Amino acid sequence: MDISHIEHLGIAVKSIAEQLPYYEQVLGVTCYNIEEVADQKVKTAFFKIGQTKIELLEPTSEDSTIAKFIEKRGEGIHHIAFAVPDVQNALDGAASKGIQLIDKAPRNGAEGLKIAFLHPKSTHGVLTELCMK
């Protein structure tokens, strides 16, 4: 897998509005983008720190994966996303090494990225996202 950098860290939150003061006033980083990804039932907010982003994930439905995550584990780090030049190629390579895939093909994510996830059962408990512009 040809990873260029950590693209972002995904953090599950109950409310982006309630989290913004911490990130902006305490940490001193500015939210530059808030958008809804309807098919994933999530609203996202992004902060850039160097080359890496923080993505806050707020559920927009009680049956979203983020809502289920928060219900089971509470708010906190949800996933780590790695930038790769070709998501499909990275998925194929991971699968050939016995990694369980959540997505067998890339799908559309926030900020126009193509994304896919590797199952945490195969990645030592860390939900891993692969993404490309």
Side-chain angles (χ1 to χ4, degrees), residues 3 41 123:
I3 295 171
K41 301 176 185 175
T123 58

mmCIF file of all heavy atoms in Angstrom, residues 3 41 123:
data_model
loop_
_atom_site.group_PDB
_atom_site.id
_atom_site.type_symbol
_atom_site.label_atom_id
_atom_site.label_comp_id
_atom_site.label_asym_id
_atom_site.label_seq_id
_atom_site.Cartn_x
_atom_site.Cartn_y
_atom_site.Cartn_z
ATOM 1 N N ILE A 3 0.941 4.652 1.087
ATOM 2 C CA ILE A 3 0.328 5.717 1.896
ATOM 3 C C ILE A 3 1.229 6.945 1.851
ATOM 4 O O ILE A 3 2.423 6.853 2.123
ATOM 5 C CB ILE A 3 0.148 5.248 3.351
ATOM 6 C CG1 ILE A 3 -0.846 4.092 3.408
ATOM 7 C CG2 ILE A 3 -0.280 6.391 4.255
ATOM 8 C CD1 ILE A 3 -0.936 3.421 4.759
ATOM 9 N N LYS A 41 -25.527 9.323 6.400
ATOM 10 C CA LYS A 41 -26.299 9.819 7.548
ATOM 11 C C LYS A 41 -25.394 10.491 8.572
ATOM 12 O O LYS A 41 -25.450 10.203 9.768
ATOM 13 C CB LYS A 41 -27.110 8.696 8.178
ATOM 14 C CG LYS A 41 -28.083 8.038 7.206
ATOM 15 C CD LYS A 41 -28.794 6.882 7.838
ATOM 16 C CE LYS A 41 -29.655 6.169 6.802
ATOM 17 N NZ LYS A 41 -30.271 4.972 7.330
ATOM 18 N N THR A 123 -7.735 -5.195 11.408
ATOM 19 C CA THR A 123 -6.739 -4.122 11.536
ATOM 20 C C THR A 123 -6.440 -3.826 13.007
ATOM 21 O O THR A 123 -6.210 -2.677 13.374
ATOM 22 C CB THR A 123 -7.208 -2.848 10.805
ATOM 23 O OG1 THR A 123 -8.468 -2.431 11.361
ATOM 24 C CG2 THR A 123 -7.362 -3.082 9.311
#
